[in-house]
């Protein structure tokens, strides 16, 4: 809403703040839009990753001054700590992305660390969405209407509807 130059300066400042929270061997990369990835090859533990994530969230709590205006940025961070040497980068990024969406669901300016239960939630959600899509095509959804009655005079003043999935 403030223009490309403004947005670019904000992204640069966010990248700088993230970089100040990481080590000299870590890589901060903008993946596109307003998404960044941080590769920390020498991280020793999940606890250390948590400390870095908390520091990033805290560093973004301070306003960014651009063209004389204070702007606030927040971050929802998804963490994934590799437990095996042969982990594929694509798997790590997917897991971190899953954890990021979990963090977003928990509110702004927070982080979440990937665990296997997150994958299970996603599989269940995909099954549910797929089932609902086919339910519409298979006419398994029925709509029921219930009147809303004014108890004072017994007149119908509206209606509510219920969609029932007959699976």
């Amino acid at each position: 809403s403030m223009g490309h130059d403004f947005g670019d300066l904000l992204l640069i400042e966010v990248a700088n703040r993230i970089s100040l929270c990481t080590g000299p061997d870590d890589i901060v990369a903008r993946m596109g839009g307003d998404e960044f990835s941080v590769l920390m090859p020498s991280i020793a533990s999940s606890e250390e990753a948590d400390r870095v994530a908390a520091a990033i969230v805290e560093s973004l709590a301070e306003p960014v001054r651009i063209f004389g205006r204070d702007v606030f940025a927040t971050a929802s961070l998804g963490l994934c700590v590799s437990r095996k040497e042969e982990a594929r980068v694509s798997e790590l990024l997917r897991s971190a992305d899953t954890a990021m969406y979990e963090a977003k669901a928990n509110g702004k300016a927070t982080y979440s660390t990937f665990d296997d239960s997150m994958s299970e939630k996603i599989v269940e959600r995909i099954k549910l969405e797929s089932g609902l899509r086919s339910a519409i095509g298979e006419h398994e959804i029925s709509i029921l209407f219930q009147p809303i009655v004014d108890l004072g005079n017994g007149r119908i003043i509206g209606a509510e509807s219920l969609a029932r999935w007959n699976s």
Side-chain angles (χ1 to χ4, degrees):
S1 66
M2 305 294 217
H4 291 290
D5 291 341
F6 193 95
D8 289 344
L9 291 172
L10 178 60
L11 289 170
I12 289 167
E13 180 59 24
V14 167
N16 288 337
R17 290 185 185 191
I18 293 171
S19 294
L20 289 172
C21 298
T22 61
D25 296 330
D26 300 335
I27 298 168
V28 177
R30 181 172 167 229
M31 302 300 283
D34 63 351
E35 290 192 6
F36 291 84
S37 287
V38 179
L39 176 63
M40 303 173 73
S42 60
I43 199 147
S45 66
S46 293
E47 291 78 18
E48 187 177 346
D50 287 347
R51 280 192 296 278
V52 172
I56 291 170
V57 168
E58 185 178 329
S59 76
L60 293 173
E62 293 297 317
V64 178
R65 186 165 267 297
I66 301 174
F67 300 143
R69 299 181 84 163
D70 283 342
V71 180
F72 290 88
T74 60
S76 298
L77 285 74
L79 310 180
C80 178
V81 178
S82 175
R83 293 179 188 90
K84 50 188 174 188
E85 291 295 323
E86 68 274 2
R88 300 174 107 184
V89 172
S90 61
E91 291 172 5
L92 293 172
L93 286 172
R94 184 175 54 244
S95 296
D97 208 38
T98 299
M100 179 193 63
Y101 284 109
E102 181 80 12
K104 284 183 178 193
N106 293 332
K108 291 186 176 193
T110 189
Y111 63 93
S112 182
T113 303
F114 177 81
D115 66 49
D116 292 333
S117 70
M118 291 178 188
S119 290
E120 293 165 13
K121 283 184 197 176
I122 288 175
V123 168
E124 288 303 314
R125 183 180 176 114
I126 289 170
K127 282 182 188 177
L128 179 63
E129 286 178 10
S130 178
L132 280 171
R133 288 181 195 278
S134 65
I136 292 168
E138 298 293 323
H139 305 289
E140 293 178 343
I141 306 288
S142 60
I143 307 293
L144 303 170
F145 293 95
Q146 178 171 314
I148 299 174
V149 178
D150 181 334
L151 294 177
N153 60 22
R155 295 179 59 183
I156 296 174
I157 58 171
E160 61 183 18
S161 63
L162 168 71
R164 179 167 284 152
W165 180 8
N166 303 307
S167 62

